[in-house]
Amino acid sequence: MQRRHVLICAAAAAACMPGLSSAQAYPSKPITIIVPFAAGGGSDNIARLVAAKLSEKTGKTFVIDNRGGGGTNIGNDIAARAAPDGYTLLLGQFTLSANPFLYGNLRYKTEAFVPVVHIANAPTVLVVPATSPIKDVQGLIAAAKASPGKLNYGSGGAGTSVHLAGELFRLSTATSLTHVPYKGSAPAVTDLIGGQIDMIFDTSTSALPYIKGGRVRAIATAASQRLRALPDVPTFAEQGLKDFDVPAWYGLLGPAGFPAQAVQWLNGHVNEILKDPAMLAQLDGIGAIAVGGTPQQLGAFMGAQAARWERVIKESHIKLD
């Protein structure tokens, strides 16, 4: 795992090497952002928000290319094999931290990507049916220990961030919970609302509309601080469960060899739009927290995330081949 972390950071450092000629105007044509999900989900919303703000700020054209399927491996592979000319980006997210340990036959290598900028995090939120007797984290732990295996949690499928957040909770609390995988998040949420499942460790961008509408109840946020969109929902740490900061993260990455000039231009402009009050308000509105920072910081973050999920996946004996 240390080697993977070093390689990711090395890729970030390589971005500082000479790329496009300094005399070459960048960008001189539209920039494509590959989103490894179908249109309409949380990742797509983040990508379109960033693309719109970048276009507004720079006057340049950004195009969203949705390439869903294969647990994001289709889109990730397309991005990894794209020409490293500065005009194709990947909206990297959670699966880059987990898929190398879930699948044994990936065609791409995570460390081959060049980190550009960390856009935002969408913390995991523990939600239960509105009628659930479970009111807080300690109540959930007590109920789970009193009846091992009786309580269940749903997810949009095996290996998703929602599934692995549940496994991390189970391992962190020494409890026994039953995982109920669905074919997508929508049917899982439908059954949660109807009380057919006990809980979901959902992303804030996905859960927020249902929480605001009173259809489910949030009992904890997996972040270092409370979400501004959910100020009354305490964090896991506030309820006694430390080190349970579980973000769905979003960042821009380029294929190996991505030019340093492009990295610098994109990183600078994204960091600027992440300071825009209008942009921050829009991120708040969908339950996301702006991050920003350097390419090296994104590379280090990805390395830490990979180390965490490698452990969870191995200890939970999850394989998707």
Side-chain angles (χ1 to χ4, degrees):
M1 190 60 256
Q2 182 65 28
R3 180 175 179 271
R4 181 177 298 275
H5 186 176
V6 169
L7 285 169
I8 290 173
C9 293
C16 297
M17 297 174 65
L20 296 170
S21 167
S22 58
Q24 196 174 354
Y26 177 85
S28 59
K29 61 181 182 179
I31 296 172
T32 296
I33 301 175
I34 293 176
V35 177
F37 290 97
S43 294
D44 184 61
N45 291 339
I46 292 283
R48 290 180 187 276
L49 177 57
V50 170
K53 289 293 183 183
L54 284 173
S55 293
E56 179 184 315
K57 176 176 175 18
T58 67
K60 304 298 182 179
T61 300
F62 289 80
V63 178
I64 302 300
D65 183 7
N66 294 97
R67 297 296 188 101
T72 73
N73 289 326
I74 292 174
N76 293 345
D77 184 59
I78 291 171
R81 295 172 185 275
D85 57 5
Y87 292 95
T88 301
L89 293 161
L90 173 69
L91 184 78
Q93 32 64 52
F94 170 84
T95 59
L96 286 179
S97 305
N99 282 7
F101 313 110
L102 292 169
Y103 299 89
N105 59 348
L106 293 184
R107 296 175 62 190
Y108 63 89
K109 300 293 184 182
T110 302
E111 58 266 28
F113 288 104
V114 173
V116 175
V117 65
H118 193 159
I119 298 168
N121 289 338
T124 296
V125 180
L126 174 56
V127 292
V128 298
T131 56
S132 173
I134 297 172
K135 305 296 183 185
D136 54 35
V137 171
Q138 292 304 319
L140 169 58
I141 294 172
K145 289 189 173 182
S147 302
K150 181 179 179 181
L151 292 178
N152 59 46
Y153 70 96
S155 80
T160 60
S161 63
V162 178
H163 173 205
L164 295 182
E167 289 301 294
L168 178 61
F169 180 85
R170 181 183 62 78
L171 294 170
S172 300
T173 58
T175 54
S176 177
L177 301 174
T178 299
H179 174 225
V180 182
Y182 288 80
K183 293 182 178 180
S185 60
V189 172
T190 297
D191 274 6
L192 180 73
I193 293 170
Q196 281 77 45
I197 54 177
D198 297 309
M199 71 196 88
I200 289 181
F201 295 83
D202 208 355
T203 61
S204 51
T205 50
S206 173
L208 196 59
Y210 302 101
I211 298 168
K212 294 287 191 180
R215 305 182 75 186
V216 298
R217 186 172 72 251
I219 63 174
T221 301
S224 59
Q225 59 189 24
R226 296 190 184 195
L227 277 174
R228 278 192 272 188
L230 297 171
D232 297 326
V233 179
T235 66
F236 279 87
E238 289 179 275
Q239 299 182 65
L241 187 58
K242 307 297 184 183
D243 300 320
F244 199 77
D245 186 348
V246 185
W249 61 270
Y250 307 96
L252 293 179
L253 301 101
F258 202 78
Q261 180 184 341
V263 172
Q264 182 179 16
W265 189 91
L266 288 160
N267 181 277
H269 284 300
V270 171
N271 274 294
E272 286 182 22
I273 66 170
L274 290 178
K275 297 174 184 176
D276 181 347
M279 177 71 167
L280 294 175
Q282 286 179 283
L283 288 172
D284 280 345
I286 59 175
I289 301 170
V291 179
T294 67
Q296 290 82 0
Q297 287 171 324
L298 174 56
F301 173 83
M302 289 173 63
Q305 286 289 299
R308 162 181 270 188
W309 297 117
E310 178 182 23
R311 178 183 67 82
V312 170
I313 289 164
K314 286 184 175 179
E315 291 184 16
S316 299
H317 307 289
I318 303 169
K319 270 294 180 185
L320 300 183
D321 290 332

